[in-house]
Amino acid sequence: MKKEIKFYNVIFPVWMMMILPMVWIVVLPANFIVDSCVLLIALKFIIKQKDIKVLYKKTILKVWILGFVADIIGAVTLLAAELFFSNGDSKLIKQLSSVYWNAFDNIYAFLYVACAVLISAVLIFVLNYKYSFSNITLEKEEKVRAALTLAILTAPYTFFIPTEMIYR
């Protein structure tokens, strides 16, 4: 007989998992690998640099840390939706409260989650452009292309994962 496991006390959305320290054991190295791959692709194929190793070593830690900062700010934006919109009476507030369970439930929830992803992506771009690539020898256009590549490919699209799928 197969033992069934249920998570009765896990009542939080998937995107909040990035805030919990126990999950960071998996998330941190996975995120480092993704950021490394995207940075290496950007340096080699997007801006066609020859000294990739040197540029990678100078920037990867900043890219990785600032990417997490941007993702956490996006997650806080989603958490704010749950805190401020979960107990309201208006129809719009009730629709926004579904951000917590399923962004695809209605257009308002989808747009709110899309805004949170966009906020994170813009922050990834700005933080990488201004800080990660500030002390390296790249042209302004190359820094923009590298930061844009990171922003597009490492934005937290996991915010769209419906939490309600886990609890059914």
Side-chain angles (χ1 to χ4, degrees), residues 4 30 46 62 69 73 85 88 101 115 136 141 153 156 168:
E4 190 173 332
I46 307 295
K62 290 179 188 176
V69 169
I73 291 170
F85 301 131
W101 293 105
C115 284
I136 59 173
E141 183 182 315
L153 296 180
R168 285 190 179 194

Side-chain angles (χ1 to χ4, degrees), residues 53-122:
K53 261 185 160 175
V54 173
L55 293 173
Y56 173 82
K57 286 179 182 180
K58 285 184 178 180
T59 59
I60 186 57
L61 285 178
K62 290 179 188 176
V63 166
W64 181 52
I65 291 167
L66 294 174
F68 259 107
V69 169
D71 290 352
I72 288 170
I73 291 170
V76 168
T77 303
L78 293 176
L79 180 60
E82 176 58 24
L83 294 174
F84 295 118
F85 301 131
S86 62
N87 295 322
D89 291 333
S90 78
K91 185 177 179 180
L92 176 63
I93 288 176
K94 286 180 182 172
Q95 289 178 329
L96 280 174
S97 70
S98 66
V99 163
Y100 191 66
W101 293 105
N102 185 355
F104 302 106
D105 193 35
N106 62 66
I107 189 68
Y108 302 109
F110 178 82
L111 291 174
Y112 193 89
V113 173
C115 284
V117 172
L118 185 62
I119 287 167
S120 292
V122 168

